[in-house]
Amino acid sequence: MKKLINEPSAVVDEMLDGMVAAHPQQVRRLDGAEVLVRNAAPVEGKVGIVSGGGSGHEPTHAGYLGPGMLDGAAAGEMFTSPTADQLGEMIGACDGGEGVLCVVKNYEGDVMNFDTAAEMADMEGVEVVQVVVNDDVAVEDSLYTSGRRGVCGTIFVHKIAGAKAAQGAPLSAVATVAEKAIDRVGTMGMALTSCVTPEKGEPTFELGDDEIELGIGIHGEPGTERTDVMTADEVADHLTEAVLADLDLDAGAEVATIVNGMGGTPLSELYIVNRRVQEVLGEREIETHEAWVGDYMTSLDMCGCSVTVMELDEELKELLTSSVDTPALTVAE
Amino acid sequence: MKKLINEPSAVVDEMLDGMVAAHPQQVRRLDGAEVLVRNAAPVEGKVGIVSGGGSGHEPTHAGYLGPGMLDGAAAGEMFTSPTADQLGEMIGACDGGEGVLCVVKNYEGDVMNFDTAAEMADMEGVEVVQVVVNDDVAVEDSLYTSGRRGVCGTIFVHKIAGAKAAQGAPLSAVATVAEKAIDRVGTMGMALTSCVTPEKGEPTFELGDDEIELGIGIHGEPGTERTDVMTADEVADHLTEAVLADLDLDAGAEVATIVNGMGGTPLSELYIVNRRVQEVLGEREIETHEAWVGDYMTSLDMCGCSVTVMELDEELKELLTSSVDTPALTVAE
């Protein structure tokens, strides 16, 4: 294993310090915690939006801290849920008096620890609502989940909930629009290669030189099938069709899409996939309003991609395209 | 080789179409050419800023098309200079009556073809000035260059020249500030692994499981030394010290930095490198005004990074931080 790290056990700690060193005007670290918050947190009179989960998915989650998106992001160890204590500390630091929305990806550890943290916060008088993102259409139940996994569609949920909160909406309305986004978003991923975690130092799973895995999870969890290497167009067709079948979209629908890199994939390849994704949508007379292409939710150094589609209505369209200023995503006014 | 592509020979063409499909409000493709321009090009009364070079370095160059940065970006085949014809077509499409600045990375093919294109444009009455970026401090002369290579510091030059042009400055003033940026910027890179080009399908160079290469070029050109695997801090020290020695900065200097990923490197690792880069600068009482971390100029799927440092004055600081709206870089107002 060759990685640009010092000690495997120090990766998360040093990465967080490196993020603060890069973006000191935007984010700060809570003392002694693996939690970053936007500098302005808590924003008085605004619903706080927080998320968190295992590390290894950068820029998820701390890359999305800033006006119009997240107030707090908790970083667990690599592919490991943050502790309830850390989540509780984050919730407290992000409550500006209007309560806090927790955006949780559906993994058993995350759900359990966010539940505990929400109870703790509730006892301290902080109103907390949780929403659980389960956008991965590949598998029902899996290695770390009951029900579907939460993957890259979570970024759309962050953006939409963050925009609604920035407008001054109350917690109940922010939670309602986040649930609407969750109901309308689907994702499916694939891998050309396994990720290698710093602690283990070798591939999480074996994949032959002529094989790919469809329906892969963002921690290398098994997908739906292994198959011979496919062309980019075949991959795009397979992933897009699977998501569209799940969302059951009609001609005339408006959508936003993400072609997301898993971390080790060149941007040129993601654009080639996007080319075909947009063709497939066009053939079905589905109109793409926003097409994001890049590394939004990664799996360390894994090569591969995922395709996310979210059906839009006027409210979601407005919230998705409103201005935001974070380390990983900036939308100008 | 496993890649998300269709045909190796179609990679550049399909990638460009995929970029346009992702950013139709921002960029368009010139008919029959491997050239993207911003939709508004040519902008009447503004100096046009164009760049170009071999593909494989995405988001360089087309990712930087937009208000405040580039007007045109020519994409050669993988690691191959664009033809003079394509460059000439780009220059013509980006001249809004005030002339065009070509930002050229110092490679023999690029320099030669931009020279020819500039002569052609001149004959058609377009005023053209070229600046050549040669920021790579690792080696004098190299596989594809006389003199130093042009690498990631080019992105700062794009930003600064683009901002100056957006202010309405004449071509001579835009060229002068671009030259100032070039004089003040240095970069050095390293690789953990080789890139694999689509056409060749195997590593461009061999590197052992326990080796890294320092001073690597963005096409896998040989660097200054091969050494045993180092820690992230040792790598950061080595690259930063080499650049600082070249720039000869004193305590009290203000700089902007880029910790750039080569394409296959997880963002978490780049932040770990940035943590140490900023420590080294702090120890020398050099103040970092802007610290960019991410994939700005890549080498396909290569794992590794580069460190760029540019000395700022008040003019460069203002131009570097002014608003810009491009697919790969957005700075809010």
Side-chain angles (χ1 to χ4, degrees), chain A residues 13-41:
Chain A
D13 179 60
E14 294 183 347
M15 165 189 84
L16 294 176
D17 284 347
M19 281 202 74
V20 174
H23 312 287
Q25 283 88 27
Q26 294 178 284
V27 301
R28 62 185 162 86
R29 186 167 174 178
L30 296 187
D31 279 348
E34 295 193 335
V35 174
L36 299 189
V37 298
R38 53 183 283 210
N39 279 339

Side-chain angles (χ1 to χ4, degrees), chain A residues 174-254:
Chain A
V174 175
T176 298
V177 80
E179 292 287 8
K180 179 161 77 172
I182 291 168
D183 285 346
R184 289 163 172 247
V185 68
T187 298
M188 187 154 153
M190 59 79 62
L192 297 168
T193 64
S194 173
C195 50
V196 175
T197 62
E199 291 282 3
K200 190 172 176 200
E202 53 191 57
T204 301
F205 60 95
E206 293 301 326
L207 203 53
D209 283 346
D210 51 358
E211 282 183 317
I212 62 173
E213 181 145 347
L214 299 169
I216 197 87
I218 56 171
H219 313 90
E221 308 98 304
T224 48
E225 76 182 285
R226 288 196 173 194
T227 174
D228 291 346
V229 168
M230 292 172 148
T231 66
D233 283 2
E234 288 167 343
V235 166
D237 284 352
H238 187 94
L239 301 183
T240 310
E241 298 290 356
V243 175
L244 292 180
D246 185 82
L247 294 178
D248 197 19
L249 297 183
D250 295 324
E254 287 188 289

Side-chain angles (χ1 to χ4, degrees), chain B residues 53-54 75 88 199 257 272 279 321:
Chain B
E199 291 283 3
T257 59
I272 290 171
E279 279 182 357
T321 55

Side-chain angles (χ1 to χ4, degrees), chain A residues 12-80:
Chain A
V12 175
D13 179 60
E14 294 183 347
M15 165 189 84
L16 294 176
D17 284 347
M19 281 202 74
V20 174
H23 312 287
Q25 283 88 27
Q26 294 178 284
V27 301
R28 62 185 162 86
R29 186 167 174 178
L30 296 187
D31 279 348
E34 295 193 335
V35 174
L36 299 189
V37 298
R38 53 183 283 210
N39 279 339
V43 180
E44 290 301 319
K46 185 186 87 70
V47 170
I49 310 289
V50 302
S51 193
S55 293
H57 309 300
E58 292 70 29
T60 296
H61 293 279
Y64 303 109
L65 288 167
M69 216 156 166
L70 298 183
D71 295 281
E77 290 303 310
M78 209 51 74
F79 293 171
T80 303

Side-chain angles (χ1 to χ4, degrees), chain A:
Chain A
M1 174 194 66
K2 293 192 284 187
K3 287 183 180 292
L4 284 168
I5 63 173
N6 294 304
E7 293 287 330
S9 62
V11 164
V12 175
D13 179 60
E14 294 183 347
M15 165 189 84
L16 294 176
D17 284 347
M19 281 202 74
V20 174
H23 312 287
Q25 283 88 27
Q26 294 178 284
V27 301
R28 62 185 162 86
R29 186 167 174 178
L30 296 187
D31 279 348
E34 295 193 335
V35 174
L36 299 189
V37 298
R38 53 183 283 210
N39 279 339
V43 180
E44 290 301 319
K46 185 186 87 70
V47 170
I49 310 289
V50 302
S51 193
S55 293
H57 309 300
E58 292 70 29
T60 296
H61 293 279
Y64 303 109
L65 288 167
M69 216 156 166
L70 298 183
D71 295 281
E77 290 303 310
M78 209 51 74
F79 293 171
T80 303
S81 299
T83 64
D85 281 348
Q86 304 252 314
L87 294 171
E89 199 170 339
M90 171 176 69
I91 292 168
C94 296
D95 176 39
E98 297 297 322
V100 173
L101 181 79
C102 300
V103 181
V104 186
K105 299 198 303 302
N106 190 35
Y107 298 98
E108 282 164 9
D110 290 12
V111 170
M112 187 176 68
N113 291 341
F114 265 106
D115 275 346
T116 306
E119 284 170 27
M120 288 159 43
D122 184 62
M123 287 191 291
E124 292 177 11
V126 180
E127 193 182 2
V128 178
V129 174
Q130 298 182 70
V131 294
V132 178
V133 187
N134 61 348
D135 56 316
D136 190 335
V137 306
V139 290
E140 273 302 326
D141 303 332
S142 73
L143 206 50
Y144 309 119
T145 64
S146 303
R148 305 191 330 184
R149 300 175 296 219
V151 289
C152 190
T154 308
I155 310 306
F156 279 158
V157 180
H158 289 168
K159 176 70 184 73
I160 283 160
K164 190 77 179 178
Q167 291 179 348
L171 180 55
S172 60
V174 175
T176 298
V177 80
E179 292 287 8
K180 179 161 77 172
I182 291 168
D183 285 346
R184 289 163 172 247
V185 68
T187 298
M188 187 154 153
M190 59 79 62
L192 297 168
T193 64
S194 173
C195 50
V196 175
T197 62
E199 291 282 3
K200 190 172 176 200
E202 53 191 57
T204 301
F205 60 95
E206 293 301 326
L207 203 53
D209 283 346
D210 51 358
E211 282 183 317
I212 62 173
E213 181 145 347
L214 299 169
I216 197 87
I218 56 171
H219 313 90
E221 308 98 304
T224 48
E225 76 182 285
R226 288 196 173 194
T227 174
D228 291 346
V229 168
M230 292 172 148
T231 66
D233 283 2
E234 288 167 343
V235 166
D237 284 352
H238 187 94
L239 301 183
T240 310
E241 298 290 356
V243 175
L244 292 180
D246 185 82
L247 294 178
D248 197 19
L249 297 183
D250 295 324
E254 287 188 289
V255 300
T257 59
I258 308 177
V259 173
N260 172 59
M262 291 296 191
T265 312
L267 184 56
S268 49
E269 298 180 23
L270 300 180
Y271 277 122
I272 290 171
V273 172
N274 181 62
R275 169 186 161 279
R276 180 64 191 154
V277 169
Q278 301 309 327
E279 279 182 358
V280 172
L281 294 170
E283 286 163 8
R284 290 171 171 244
E285 299 179 42
I286 292 169
E287 186 190 336
T288 300
H289 194 76
E290 288 276 307
W292 296 3
V293 179
D295 284 3
Y296 291 92
M297 182 176 290
T298 62
S299 183
L300 288 166
D301 53 352
M302 185 188 281
C303 290
C305 70
S306 62
V307 173
T308 296
V309 180
M310 182 172 66
E311 188 182 9
L312 299 174
D313 62 8
E314 289 307 310
E315 181 185 32
L316 294 181
K317 202 188 295 185
E318 181 205 342
L319 295 170
L320 191 65
T321 56
S322 66
S323 67
V324 64
D325 190 4
T326 74
L329 180 71
T330 305
V331 178
E333 299 270 353

